[in-house]
Amino acid sequence: MKENIHPQYREVVFMDMSSSDKIVTRSTVNTRETIQHEGKEYPLAKMEISSASHPFYTGQNKIVDTEGTVEKFKRKYANYTKATQSSDPA
């Protein structure tokens, strides 16, 4: 491999900003901040959302759709066919 062309691959702390959970993994991400975690200093990458705070993974996901998607499509399609049939000069 060529020297000095590859990004630095090192341990990085990814921190979820909404839940303050931290994950230590290896990455090539460029960071400006560092953080003390379990007695060591790591580069810090901040995330807006992760599996620790995402509604799908936390079980807080709510389904708001009270009407089935098939029925909703049929209703919209019926309105569309009525509109096109009434505007056709036959």
Side-chain angles (χ1 to χ4, degrees), residues 3-64:
E3 295 288 325
N4 301 322
I5 63 166
H6 301 286
Q8 183 183 8
Y9 186 63
R10 65 205 189 281
E11 286 187 328
V12 177
V13 171
F14 285 88
M15 186 167 94
D16 185 340
M17 298 306 293
S18 59
S19 68
S20 299
D21 283 358
K22 298 175 186 86
I23 302 165
V24 179
T25 187
R26 297 185 61 82
S27 178
T28 60
V29 67
N30 290 327
T31 62
R32 294 183 182 154
E33 298 179 55
T34 60
I35 189 171
Q36 288 286 337
H37 183 68
E38 297 178 354
K40 281 181 72 177
E41 187 170 349
Y42 295 98
L44 175 64
K46 295 179 179 178
M47 301 182 298
E48 293 296 320
I49 196 162
S50 71
S51 62
S53 62
H54 193 280
F56 179 79
Y57 296 108
T58 59
Q60 297 172 349
N61 195 18
K62 295 179 183 172
I63 299 174
V64 181

